Amino acid sequence: MRVLLLCGLVYSFSVPLCGVDRADSRSSLEADTADYIPSLGSFFGLAGRKLDAIASEYGLYWQPHLTESRRLIRSAARSIERRGTALVLGAGKCREIPLQQLARDFDHVVLVDLDSVSMREAVELIPEFLRHKVEIRVSDITTFTRSFVKMARQIISTSRDVKDAEIRLAGLYLSLDHLVRIPDLPHADFVVSSLVLAELARYANTYVAQLFSQKFGSEISTWKNYEELRSNLFHFAIEDHARLLASVTVPTGVVYFADTTARGPNLSTVSSAEREKILDELVGRFERVGVFRKIQARPEIWNTFDNLFKKLSAIGMDNTAGETEIVYLDKVIENIENPDGLSTDWRSRVAAEAAARLLCRGRLPIDTEISAYQAILQSYQVIAPQSMESLVDHKTFLKDLNEYGLKPFGTAASWFWLEYPCSIPRKPGAFLVNSWTLRWMN
Ligand SMILES: C[S@@+](CC[C@H](N)C(=O)[O-])C[C@H]1O[C@@H](n2cnc3c(N)ncnc32)[C@H](O)[C@@H]1O
């Protein structure tokens, strides 16, 4: 079933929003608030530069994620008979997309994003003789982002005070159906939506949050019904994206869909008992992937590990898991009084903690570090699954697609993207990525 979207009027204002996006056109509304925050195009460009900065710091840790993603996209592309147009939604810099291969295998590749700089950089990275096959389209891939942001700017710049703005913005978050503006996108034989769905509502929401905070010096997250409003926007984005995929994929076409479905680990959700079990689990995993062997192989690393082990044994592992002070202090005293009498369990937990603290200091080979981080994430996932916080309700998304007639085939895949590994486990630094390939079922 295909959906025909109707062109709507925006919110309570009579501003028709149908038609093709012009990325660099700036309305007078945007000019009103230009002092507070960049235009939508610059906002997306800035987000692209931030991702670039993270990639230049942690890019080596991203390799397994990029390799797996490219492999799965190539394999999905191979299942398509007619290789006319490939459409890449929210393409950005195409880091995890095999752009060169798509340009070789398809007649025409269309990249779509609101961040034009990143897409241009992506095209510059492929051989010159293939570049003419790639079209860059600077466009909103949702029906609502551009209109939502425009309305939010207008509300924020014309509100009498913070309360007035809050009430009017809440109305905007709850009337998203009125913001419909159909993205101008081609039909395609292969549609790639990679790591985009979770970002759609997040970008729009972050833009409004920043604008509000700049103008009023307070945070939208403190609004009484903020969670309800935010959740309405995120649900709307899920339906919107399912509708888009269904409307751009030709009847013989294939969709590759992947998203960051969870982020973690979030230590604040982990009890001290779970933390101990995680360390128990981690010892075995570290052993299996050779972390301790690599530490032992180099005397200077072994010395650092040994020092850390002794310190942690004497003072106790730090108390980030929220252990009560009394229990924590008891352990510390017990260890100081009787360091040789540490139980085997306690010793191996300390060893796991000490090895984890050696990571991200440029001492161990990068592949050992990556395996060690994967082991940490798997341990959290097994012992404290709640520590990987869900970002997108992909079950609802797949159900929506199913209702349109797009169904997964082949096997679903799942892997970790070590986005900011060095903050793990103190702060959530990794994404769980899930992917599916879908086609029309009759
Ligand atoms: C996490 S990135 C995807 C990864 C990207 N392929 C890369 O190379 O890093 C998400 C992308 O979605 C884009 N995006 C988010 N909301 C969008 C919207 N409403 N319209 C178009 N692009 C959007 C962002 O600009 C960003 O490039």
Side-chain angles (χ1 to χ4, degrees):
M1 183 181 63
R2 300 298 164 91
V3 175
L4 196 65
L5 294 175
L6 293 175
C7 196
L9 295 182
V10 173
Y11 202 42
S12 55
F13 292 77
S14 301
V15 185
L17 282 182
C18 286
V20 180
D21 280 309
R22 272 181 297 277
D24 39 21
S25 73
R26 281 192 47 171
S27 71
S28 56
L29 297 180
E30 283 174 320
D32 283 347
T33 45
D35 291 346
Y36 313 134
I37 203 161
S39 69
L40 195 58
S42 331
F43 175 79
F44 275 76
L46 212 61
R49 303 281 66 78
K50 279 189 194 152
L51 200 56
D52 248 356
I54 304 170
S56 60
E57 198 161 345
Y58 299 119
L60 285 177
Y61 294 94
W62 293 16
Q63 283 314 313
H65 151 63
L66 302 182
T67 306
E68 182 63 354
S69 165
R70 289 181 198 143
R71 183 185 74 76
L72 289 164
I73 295 174
R74 272 197 291 270
S75 140
R78 273 199 295 273
S79 68
I80 302 166
E81 279 166 33
R82 208 183 74 107
R83 302 203 184 141
T85 300
L87 174 65
V88 185
L89 300 167
K93 202 168 172 178
C94 292
R95 290 181 186 84
E96 80 291 17
I97 316 273
L99 181 58
Q100 182 170 330
Q101 176 119 17
L102 293 182
R104 216 174 22 227
D105 294 351
F106 286 80
D107 298 337
H108 186 203
V109 181
V110 184
L111 307 182
V112 195
D113 203 294
L114 278 164
D115 172 7
S116 59
V117 175
S118 291
M119 289 191 289
R120 277 204 300 275
E121 288 174 351
V123 178
E124 274 160 24
L125 289 173
I126 66 170
E128 215 171 330
F129 75 97
L130 289 171
R131 290 185 200 156
H132 72 281
K133 286 185 154 190
V134 184
E135 180 192 339
I136 288 177
R137 236 182 244 201
V138 184
S139 168
D140 186 358
I141 58 166
T142 70
T143 61
F144 64 90
T145 301
R146 189 171 279 278
S147 334
F148 177 76
V149 158
K150 214 174 215 179
M151 292 308 306
R153 289 184 88 109
Q154 170 145 32
I155 290 170
I156 290 169
S157 64
T158 59
S159 290
R160 284 189 309 277
D161 53 35
V162 61
K163 200 68 215 158
D164 184 33
E166 182 181 330
I167 292 167
R168 291 170 65 201
L169 284 171
L172 176 65
Y173 272 81
L174 295 173
S175 343
L176 300 164
D177 286 332
H178 299 276
L179 300 175
V180 171
R181 170 192 177 121
I182 306 164
D184 176 39
L185 300 174
H187 289 117
D189 302 289
F190 186 36
V191 180
V192 177
S193 165
S194 169
L195 316 189
V196 171
L197 177 59
E199 301 290 21
L200 297 174
R202 196 179 69 84
Y203 271 70
N205 193 51
T206 304
Y207 188 97
V208 173
Q210 286 185 7
L211 190 53
F212 187 82
S213 155
Q214 301 257 1
K215 168 94 186 262
F216 297 111
S218 74
E219 306 307 318
I220 65 171
S221 55
T222 60
W223 297 349
K224 213 166 64 215
N225 57 346
Y226 173 71
E227 271 317 315
E228 181 203 340
L229 301 178
R230 186 183 168 281
S231 149
N232 198 49
L233 180 65
F234 276 66
H235 279 114
F236 191 84
I238 288 178
E239 282 173 24
D240 196 74
H241 199 57
R243 206 159 41 221
L244 175 77
L245 294 186
S247 67
V248 292
T249 311
V250 302
T252 51
V254 165
V255 174
Y256 169 85
F257 167 70
D259 206 17
T260 47
T261 52
R263 177 170 203 155
N266 184 342
L267 263 191
S268 69
T269 67
V270 179
S271 69
S272 54
E274 284 172 327
R275 176 100 177 110
E276 289 197 347
K277 279 197 198 142
I278 286 165
L279 289 171
D280 290 340
E281 170 88 18
L282 194 53
V283 181
R285 287 184 187 267
F286 272 180
E287 250 161 27
R288 283 196 289 284
V289 297
V291 172
F292 295 120
R293 267 199 311 282
K294 286 279 175 353
I295 291 173
Q296 265 171 325
R298 301 255 303 272
E300 73 282 9
I301 304 178
W302 174 257
N303 281 343
T304 316
F305 171 79
D306 196 40
N307 281 337
L308 268 169
F309 182 87
K310 285 182 182 135
K311 268 195 200 127
L312 289 170
S313 302
I315 62 163
M317 288 175 278
D318 73 8
N319 195 16
T320 42
E323 207 167 25
T324 65
E325 288 304 316
I326 303 283
V327 173
Y328 176 68
L329 279 176
D330 278 352
K331 268 189 194 155
V332 172
I333 291 164
E334 182 194 320
N335 295 338
I336 291 171
E337 283 173 351
N338 184 19
D340 295 330
L342 295 176
S343 71
T344 320
D345 282 355
W346 178 253
R347 290 183 82 88
S348 55
R349 278 175 208 144
V350 176
E353 180 75 31
R357 286 179 188 219
L358 277 178
L359 300 176
C360 225
R361 292 163 189 248
R363 298 196 170 190
L364 291 165
I366 187 72
D367 53 337
T368 308
E369 295 233 336
I370 290 172
S371 307
Y373 277 119
Q374 308 271 12
I376 293 175
L377 291 164
Q378 282 152 2
S379 303
Y380 274 90
Q381 204 181 22
V382 170
I383 307 293
Q386 78 286 358
S387 66
M388 292 304 295
E389 288 182 317
S390 171
L391 294 177
V392 159
D393 180 1
H394 62 264
K395 286 200 183 114
T396 301
F397 180 68
L398 291 175
K399 198 163 136 274
D400 286 355
L401 283 176
N402 196 44
E403 277 167 21
Y404 288 119
L406 275 170
K407 299 206 173 133
F409 70 98
T411 38
S414 168
W415 64 94
F416 287 113
W417 167 17
L418 298 169
E419 195 197 21
Y420 303 93
C422 298
S423 68
I424 296 170
R426 308 274 158 240
K427 285 193 187 143
F431 289 109
L432 179 66
V433 181
N434 283 82
S435 83
W436 294 266
T437 307
L438 305 106
R439 65 175 161 221
W440 295 104
M441 294 292 154
N442 300 321

